[in-house]
């Protein structure tokens, strides 16, 4: 591509609401332009990158035996009623009435339509397993679209759905998809981890998220340094401490803590460590309030809490009035001591081995010291309630956990029979009997990957694309082409053609910008390799080369350059 | 592709509402499955074909210098208000409210969004001309979706928009797009014509439609046998007859025609030819009714009529009550004689040269014979009002017109400043002055092409794909693979691999169907070349080959087969 024939539109200023690096850099590089909240036009430059991701995803899905089809974006309410998701999906589902007042939605995913397709097309076990996928525009009516295409409303997603008789077959395809995803993210050149994930509202058995590692990631993930264990922090188990609970040594005391409401305040005031305190949260249970107790330095894991049998399937904190009515004090002064018998006290594994701890006194402005379980406070049940922290032992028994932040770009699920059952998708088994199929589903956020890659790979000058995602791998820059000698222009043209002929995707920057502006543009849009053709270099028979991450340029012969590019 | 690994799903029965061949055959071949009215899932087979069309369209757009980008399908009301199309587009525009009660539409085309993009991105004449395109899903909420994907609600369209200063630049890009379209339809292997089209409601100067010829086509087109003139019948001019009007020879007579209301009835009753009759239509004018007179054997062209200065921009027939009030008779008995002076009488060129003609008598149950213009009936103006017919002279003066039917699959427009003016899309010209840009727009119905190709190319056995659109060019069929000798299976596999290695897209039908069913499937899905590997052929060192349009099979050596496929 000659850049003079391309519509490149880098800009200096970006709106203040561009909060994260990828959003700012995509706007500055001119990859996207905002049309409305959560809606973006992909410019020619942005689309080039997006299509590269799409192509790699498609190739690996095909290689893994998945079969591509294409479902409508607009889907009828009736099918979404069959699965129950018309109501359950909530306001993220964009609902639409057509001219005949029929109701539809803009699909955020396509379980219903593919299951409908499968119940019509699949009749016999002989047709299984089968794995259908599409790469299709999706819509989620986010309450607060932000971060550019990272959390846009309209986005491009690859969604695959496999159909099976029996768990073994599902597990096989699941493993094949897992491996395909590993290949996809490896080919894309991204640092990523496949982590065990909570299966959440979508249900099903097993689930892994593919997380692109980036400090700005919304998800916290935990991984072992002694094994390949990795999990979303929502899911990572905090093992019970190996040491037991010491015997009580102190007596229970009540102390005035008139203005100390947080653990940090109380610990500082009482000159103890937060880890010697117990914090107590009151949440709404199936039948009245439930107390959850954690060590003062630990964070409650809401997903784990939500799964407690005592809770109604999700964790909701009790309100201040409810708390006062039940315990006689306000939040900040609640503790496990003298709680009404009607309130179950569920204690985190680490909190349960504390002795002589500090906790709220269930009286406003009062905490207790020297508190001890059993002697002073009831334990209804011990459970894993907390987020793992750096240095925790790995739940698989090998190594120590470390934490990282990630951006979820892929997700594989063993859905099981959920949708097939709701929609009555059966096939005839070997014995001639109708059986409900099992399903797996496998998503990749194509447009999100573009943003995630930038979050992972950028510096103050701009984007640093991996080779596979770069709009072009090489930029051939001509200094001052309008005033350069014919020889310089010819040399640049010849090099450009020679690289193209070798299959090296190259852009010729023939726009005639000043060198500083031209180089800044090429760095901003993240071209991995830059070559400058100049009068001086031509005289010396050399080219000036700079890799995007190099700190300075170096001089290469033409052959050295080509060898370098062919190896990269 | 091994067909055993592919989800091929041909069916015998199709719903009664599949009225046209392409709809029936796409359902029978399993290319599409209906999800809801006007909404179709493209099966793996259908998608393969659609993607081939998409790829050729993309390659030719790129080759012509157009630059691909991608706009959202969901677009904000505000922009559509700026162009005035939010109201004007009518109920085909699918309108949507999001969770915040903001209004959007699902784009049926993208003039507004691209013009908004252009007004933000294009600042200087130096950036022009530029031609942006996308291949993106569109939605039109058709009142009566039918004919499968031919008139679906959700469909895939390539839409391009070019920006210019000056008509000359627009005309150049228009010509380049015209040529790109010629290449696209030529490469697709379709019989087509580029015809002059009416620019209709969208406005602008020049316009051509690309019509795939098919007897079932909705559009009538006229083309010359003596030149490259071709036009939509809406637009094709009927030249004035070369002979003048004969002098009156008969006297005006009134005759009773109590039950004869149509031209056919009257002509039969009076024993004259319909071409000796004048039919008179009363339509609503800018200021009262207007009479349009045509020869009895000619058809009114509503598009031409709609452009008459006397009409308000469209042609609407007057109602029976209006007609009786103005002329004293009911439709069927109206004629140009003794019409009130307030009614302009606009006469078609061919009707204007009649003498001694038959016409309505403006009294119920009465017609006139021996009527003559000027003597008996006023002519306010002579105009071209009729559809051309087979045998008319070509308007360019070369040859004779013939009629054909076509399916519109592409459309190029010189839009001019319409949208740029409405949205204030200007650039600075060479003199430093802001100037409104001119625009061209260029659409291709990607999914529609698939159906149109089938309308043009099918027989009772199924689809007859051109090489470029076929899901696979060659089917290698193994007779009874499970019971065949290892040698037969190996020979089939070897041939399959050899063809793939030569870049010949091949499918191996290893499903083990009976030969009759296997061949019927391959014919139904339209594979251009079929090769059978059998015990007998293997023994003789030959293959049984049959082209999709051949009446019988023939025996070829392996080399002959490969040569044939490489030439095809």
């Amino acid at each position: 591509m000659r850049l003079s024939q391309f519509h490149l539109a880098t800009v200096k200023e970006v709106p203040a609401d561009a909060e994260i690096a990828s959003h700012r850099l995509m706007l500055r590089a001119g990859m996207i332009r905002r049309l409305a909240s959560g809606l973006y036009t992909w410019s020619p430059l942005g689309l080039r990158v997006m299509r590269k991701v799409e192509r790699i995803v498609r190739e690996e899905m095909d290689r893994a035996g998945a079969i591509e089809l294409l479902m409508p974006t607009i889907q009828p309410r009736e099918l979404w009623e069959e699965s129950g998701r018309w109501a359950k999906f909530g306001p993220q589902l964009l609902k639409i009435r057509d001219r005949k007042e029929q109701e539809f939605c803009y699909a955020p995913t396509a379980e219903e339509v593919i299951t409908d397709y499968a119940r019509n097309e699949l009749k016999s076990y002989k047709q299984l397993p089968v794995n259908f996928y599409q790469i299709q525009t999706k819509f989620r009516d986010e309450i607060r679209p932000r971060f550019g295409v990272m959390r846009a409303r309209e986005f491009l997603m690859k969604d695959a759905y496999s159909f099976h008789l029996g768990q073994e077959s599902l597990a096989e395809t699941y493993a094949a998809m897992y491996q395909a995803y590993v290949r996809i993210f490896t080919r894309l050149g991204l640092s990523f981890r496949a982590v065990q994930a909570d299966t959440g509202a979508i249900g099903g058995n097993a689930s892994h998220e593919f997380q692109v590692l980036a400090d700005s990631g919304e998800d916290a993930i935990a991984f072992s340094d002694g094994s390949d264990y990795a999990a979303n922090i929502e899911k990572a188990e905090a093992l019970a401490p190996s040491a037991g609970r010491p015997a009580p040594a102190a007596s229970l005391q009540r102390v005035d803590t008139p203005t100390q409401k947080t653990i940090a305040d109380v610990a500082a005031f009482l000159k103890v460590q937060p880890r010697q305190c117990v914090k107590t949260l009151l949440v709404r249970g199936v039948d009245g309030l439930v107390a959850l107790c954690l060590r003062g330095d630990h964070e409650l894991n809401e997903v784990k809490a939500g799964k407690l049998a005592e809770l109604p399937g999700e964790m909701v904190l009790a309100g201040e009035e409810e708390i006062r009515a039940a315990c006689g004090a306000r939040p900040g002064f609640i503790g496990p001591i003298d709680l009404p018998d009607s309130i179950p006290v569920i204690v985190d594994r680490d909190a349960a081995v504390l002795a002589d701890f500090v906790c709220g006194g269930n009286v406003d402005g009062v905490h207790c010291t020297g508190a001890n379980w059993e002697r002073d406070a009831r334990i209804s049940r011990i459970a894993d309630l907390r987020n793992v922290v750096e240095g925790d032992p790995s739940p698989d028994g090998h190594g120590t956990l470390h934490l990282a932040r990630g951006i979820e770009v892929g997700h594989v699920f063993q859905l099981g029979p959920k949708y097939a059952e709701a929609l009555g998708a059966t096939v005839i088994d070997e014995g001639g009997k109708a059986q409900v199929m099992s399903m797996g589903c496998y998503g990749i956020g194509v447009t999100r990957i573009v943003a995630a890659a930038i979050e992972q790979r950028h510096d103050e000058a701009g984007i640093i694309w991996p080779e596979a995602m770069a709009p072009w791998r090489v930029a051939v820059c001509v200094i001052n082409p309008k005033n350069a000698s014919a020889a310089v222009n010819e040399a640049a043209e010849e090099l450009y053609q020679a690289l193209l002929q070798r299959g090296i995707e190259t852009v010729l920057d023939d726009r005639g910008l000043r060198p500083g502006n031209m180089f800044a543009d090429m760095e901003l849009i993240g071209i991995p390799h830059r070559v400058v053709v100049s009068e001086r270099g031509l005289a010396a028979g050399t080219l000036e080369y700079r890799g995007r991450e190099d700190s300075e340029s170096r001089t290469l012969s033409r052959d050295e350059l080509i060898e370098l590019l062919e190896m990269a």
Side-chain angles (χ1 to χ4, degrees), chain A:
Chain A
M1 178 65 70
R2 289 163 209 281
L3 217 40
S4 61
Q5 308 295 311
F6 190 80
H7 179 71
L8 186 69
T10 58
V11 292
K12 295 231 157 52
E13 306 284 321
V14 295
D17 71 350
E19 300 169 52
I20 61 171
S22 61
H23 189 186
R24 282 194 301 271
L25 288 171
M26 289 181 81
L27 289 170
R28 279 184 54 205
M31 292 179 64
I32 53 170
R33 291 292 179 246
R34 182 181 182 278
L35 174 62
S37 175
L39 300 176
Y40 292 89
T41 293
W42 287 75
S43 78
L45 184 74
L47 186 63
R48 282 186 75 89
V49 177
M50 192 221 282
R51 291 281 188 237
K52 300 207 164 187
V53 176
E54 188 181 338
R55 205 191 65 222
I56 288 175
V57 169
R58 178 173 286 120
E59 286 173 1
E60 293 300 336
M61 291 303 291
D62 290 344
R63 190 207 295 216
I67 309 176
E68 189 174 3
L69 45 60
L70 190 68
M71 293 175 266
T73 60
I74 300 298
Q75 306 185 344
R77 171 177 177 156
E78 291 70 27
L79 267 182
W80 282 71
E81 291 284 4
E82 283 193 64
S83 71
R85 288 210 300 174
W86 183 262
K88 259 191 220 150
F89 207 94
Q92 282 206 352
L93 190 66
L94 185 68
K95 294 177 178 174
I96 299 169
R97 272 175 202 276
D98 72 3
R99 65 192 291 168
K100 291 171 185 161
E101 298 292 320
Q102 300 289 309
E103 284 188 283
F104 295 85
C105 65
Y106 197 127
T109 63
E111 282 82 359
E112 286 78 3
V113 171
I114 198 69
T115 306
D116 176 58
Y117 184 81
R119 73 180 165 187
N120 293 324
E121 300 293 324
L122 304 176
K123 306 294 180 194
S124 157
Y125 71 97
K126 291 181 189 163
Q127 294 171 282
L128 303 186
V130 64
N131 189 5
F132 295 117
Y133 80 100
Q134 66 171 352
I135 300 178
Q136 174 66 304
T137 309
K138 305 286 189 302
F139 200 98
R140 283 186 201 184
D141 200 2
E142 299 279 354
I143 179 89
R144 196 185 155 201
R146 56 183 180 153
F147 304 146
V149 299
M150 187 76 86
R151 179 156 297 179
R153 295 199 287 176
E154 189 172 323
F155 55 98
L156 190 66
M157 182 174 156
K158 186 282 298 174
D159 44 329
Y161 308 89
S162 65
F163 293 88
H164 311 269
L165 276 192
Q167 173 60 26
E168 197 182 328
S169 167
L170 170 55
E172 261 172 36
T173 298
Y174 183 86
M177 282 295 100
Y178 183 103
Q179 289 308 326
Y181 277 36
V182 168
R183 282 196 301 269
I184 287 167
F185 295 109
T186 303
R187 281 184 63 187
L188 287 170
L190 297 174
S191 294
F192 69 97
R193 285 195 184 259
V195 305
Q196 294 176 21
D198 182 61
T199 51
I202 203 164
N205 308 316
S207 165
H208 283 86
E209 290 165 357
F210 285 76
Q211 298 267 359
V212 166
L213 301 182
D215 293 340
S216 60
E218 286 190 303
D219 287 329
I221 64 181
F223 60 96
S224 170
D225 60 11
S227 73
D228 62 1
Y229 176 85
N232 191 304
I233 202 165
E234 289 179 346
K235 164 100 176 178
E237 185 183 1
L239 294 179
S242 49
R245 184 197 304 152
S251 61
L252 185 70
Q253 307 270 342
R254 286 168 207 276
V255 292
D256 285 340
T257 52
T259 59
Q260 287 72 32
K261 285 189 299 180
T262 68
I263 290 288
D265 293 343
V266 172
F269 183 72
L270 298 177
K271 300 192 167 53
V272 297
Q273 295 296 315
R275 55 182 295 137
Q276 291 167 261
C277 302
V278 163
K279 64 177 163 192
T280 304
L281 294 147
L282 286 169
V283 300
R284 292 186 186 146
V286 176
D287 183 24
L289 296 187
V290 173
L292 306 178
C293 296
L294 292 108
R295 221 168 69 181
D297 59 333
H298 283 155
E299 267 179 25
L300 178 68
N301 182 309
E302 296 194 14
V303 172
K304 294 177 181 175
K307 290 187 175 167
L308 294 169
E310 292 85 351
L311 264 60
E314 57 169 347
M315 199 214 79
V316 180
L317 286 172
E320 190 162 341
E321 286 313 304
E322 287 169 277
I323 293 172
R324 180 173 296 284
C327 311
R330 58 190 164 94
F333 299 101
I334 304 300
I337 289 167
D338 299 331
L339 278 181
D341 286 348
S342 64
I343 299 181
V345 180
I346 304 176
V347 182
D348 179 67
R349 289 165 171 173
D350 284 270
V353 297
L354 290 180
D356 304 330
F357 56 83
V358 169
C359 63
N362 293 326
V363 173
D364 284 354
V366 173
H367 275 81
C368 296
T369 64
N372 282 279
W373 296 114
E374 314 293 353
R375 187 190 77 184
D376 310 315
R378 188 162 46 85
I379 295 187
S380 310
R381 187 149 84 83
I382 294 172
D384 173 19
L385 294 180
R386 70 171 175 93
N387 285 334
V388 294
V389 296
E390 189 85 23
D392 275 344
S394 178
D396 68 352
H398 302 287
T400 298
L401 288 184
H402 299 277
L403 299 187
R405 298 206 70 84
I407 300 164
E408 186 192 335
V409 287
H411 209 154
V412 292
F413 271 105
Q414 292 188 22
L415 270 175
K418 175 173 166 153
Y419 289 91
E421 211 156 71
L423 274 76
T426 61
V427 293
I428 301 300
D429 68 11
E430 284 193 65
K433 230 181 89 186
Q435 291 232 28
V436 171
M437 292 183 277
S438 275
M439 289 174 63
C441 72
Y442 318 95
I444 283 187
V446 174
T447 41
R448 191 167 226 231
I449 285 173
V450 177
I454 298 174
E455 289 297 329
Q456 182 177 88
R457 300 170 58 93
H458 66 273
D459 59 19
E460 60 292 339
I463 301 163
I464 304 171
W465 291 118
E467 303 275 339
M469 294 180 69
W472 301 277
R473 291 183 54 213
V474 185
V476 173
C477 298
V478 195
I479 303 294
N480 203 356
K482 280 174 196 154
N483 298 320
S485 69
V488 165
N489 278 313
E490 277 162 26
E493 177 72 24
E494 190 278 331
L495 177 63
Y496 168 60
Q497 296 292 352
L499 295 177
L500 288 184
Q501 271 161 31
R502 281 174 172 78
I504 298 169
E505 216 178 2
T506 304
V507 65
L508 178 67
D509 193 346
D510 56 349
R511 295 174 298 163
L513 295 191
R514 291 182 193 178
N517 293 342
M518 175 163 59
F519 298 162
D521 270 359
M522 293 304 104
E523 286 174 14
L524 174 57
I525 71 172
I527 307 301
H529 309 280
R530 185 182 81 200
V531 193
V532 178
V533 181
S534 64
E535 301 279 2
R536 204 176 51 185
L538 199 61
T542 59
L543 297 159
E544 189 189 309
Y545 168 84
R546 183 162 171 178
R548 176 64 182 82
E549 295 183 86
D550 295 348
S551 54
E552 51 193 48
S553 301
R554 55 192 156 128
T555 298
L556 293 179
S557 72
R558 192 171 177 286
D559 287 349
E560 286 168 335
L561 173 75
I562 288 172
E563 192 188 337
L564 180 151
L565 295 176
E566 286 185 336
M567 301 292 286

